[in-house]
Structure formats: C-alpha cells, structure tokens
C-alpha cells in the first residue's frame, strides 16, 4: 500500500513525527508532499521559519519517509495522488471531510492530531519570550 500525505512541517515537532509514523504504519511506502514557501505564504499568510529546502531535508531524513516532493498548490492533490500512484491519502483531522471528493481515486483517511502542539502555537510561545 502506497501512502501519501501533505503538510508544511515547519518548526518540526512531535505531532509531525506522530502523523508520519502512523501514516507509514498503514502501508509500506510513504510519500510526503511538503508545501512550498509560496504555498505556505498563500495558505497561512506568513513565510515559514524554516526554508522549503531545509523542511524537505528534515522530512527526507526520517526513517518513516520514503519519498518527498514539493507541493506547489492545494488544488493539485488529485494530480499528485495519480502521479505518485498512491493508494491512500492521510490527512490530520483538522482537514476532516475536506478531501472526501478524492475517494473516487484512493482511500482517504483522517488521523487525529496530537493534542496540545502546533507550529503556530510554538512560534507564538517563542515570540512571547523575547
Ligand atoms: N499534525 C498533527 N498533530 C499536530 C500538528 C500537526 O497530526 N499537533 C499534522 C497535521 O494534521 C498535518 C501535518 O501534521 O497532517 C502537517 O501539519 P502542519 O500544518 O505542517 O503543522 P501544524 O503544527 O498544524 O502547523 P500550524 O500550527 O502552522 O497550522
């Protein structure tokens, strides 16, 4: 089973490790689309703290991850799934229901987020320290 998932994975944290490990456990090959800096800017209204190149480097170095590519647009999920021959799309449940229209080309599974941690919250805590 080939699994695909997407995310920015900025300021890498344990919630990111958990979702990638759980995604991998559902199949044998894990493909990760890492949001480009430009996509992150349009999605979240700010540049990531870590550059696209460094975020890709971090995700590529993980034991659970077999392949990484740059996600240039949120609208291209169908194309990415077909190109990478993915059997299952995994998303955190903050996206619940948003990708159900892709169920005609692959399984779509939403996994519960790890509680009490996020990149945005971490950035806000660190900003508050200065
Ligand atoms: N994720 C998770 N548990 C968390 C945080 C993130 O399972 N506590 C998952 C998301 O659901 C997504 C992936 O990790 O599938 C990448 O999420 P990303 O948006 O990069 O991380 P966040 O910490 O949610 O970032 P932000 O706070 O900027 O939204």
């Amino acid at each position: 089973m080939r699994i695909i998932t997407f995310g920015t994975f900025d300021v890498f944290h344990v919630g990111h490790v958990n979702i990638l490990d759980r995604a991998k456990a559902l199949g044998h090959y894990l493909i990760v689309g890492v949001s480009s800096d430009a996509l992150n800017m349009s999605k979240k209204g700010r540049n990531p703290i870590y550059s696209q190149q460094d975020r890709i480097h971090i995700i590529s170095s993980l034991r659970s991850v077999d392949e990484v590519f740059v996600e240039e647009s949120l609208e291209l999920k169908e194309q990415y799934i077909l190109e990478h021959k993915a059997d299952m799309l995994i998303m955190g449940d903050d996206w619940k229901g948003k990708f159900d229209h892709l169920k005609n080309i692959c399984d779509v599974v939403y996994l519960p987020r790890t509680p009490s941690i996020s990149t945005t919250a971490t950035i806000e805590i660190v900003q508050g320290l200065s």
Side-chain angles (χ1 to χ4, degrees):
M1 180 81 89
R2 290 168 66 85
I3 312 288
I4 195 165
T5 192
F6 297 87
T8 306
F9 302 102
D10 189 24
V11 189
F12 193 74
H13 60 67
V14 72
H16 295 148
V17 179
N18 289 341
I19 197 157
L20 294 172
D21 283 353
R22 285 180 295 159
K24 178 61 175 269
L26 294 172
H28 76 278
Y29 194 85
L30 178 59
I31 305 150
V32 183
V34 174
S35 303
S36 68
D37 288 341
L39 176 55
N40 199 75
M41 178 53 107
S42 70
K43 197 166 67 169
K44 298 189 177 175
R46 60 171 164 76
N47 270 318
I49 303 289
Y50 298 167
S51 70
Q52 176 179 320
Q53 192 185 346
D54 286 354
R55 289 182 289 113
I56 287 171
H57 190 177
I58 291 167
I59 301 299
S60 305
S61 74
L62 299 173
R63 206 169 34 216
S64 58
V65 175
D66 298 290
E67 195 176 328
V68 179
F69 66 97
V70 180
E71 181 189 23
E72 304 279 4
S73 165
L74 293 179
E75 316 306 319
L76 295 178
K77 289 240 170 14
E78 178 166 355
Q79 184 182 312
Y80 294 135
I81 289 165
L82 295 173
E83 267 173 18
H84 291 92
K85 299 186 173 29
D87 305 296
M88 184 185 287
L89 168 65
I90 300 287
M91 297 297 292
D93 63 1
D94 42 328
W95 293 96
K96 199 169 182 110
K98 299 255 168 52
F99 296 103
D100 287 356
H101 59 283
L102 298 171
K103 284 184 176 168
N104 59 339
I105 55 165
C106 67
D107 294 338
V108 178
V109 174
Y110 305 96
L111 294 178
R113 282 169 67 91
T114 301
S116 310
I117 187 152
S118 78
T119 296
T120 302
T122 303
I123 292 170
E124 284 168 1
I125 290 167
V126 173
Q127 280 171 340
L129 297 176
S130 62

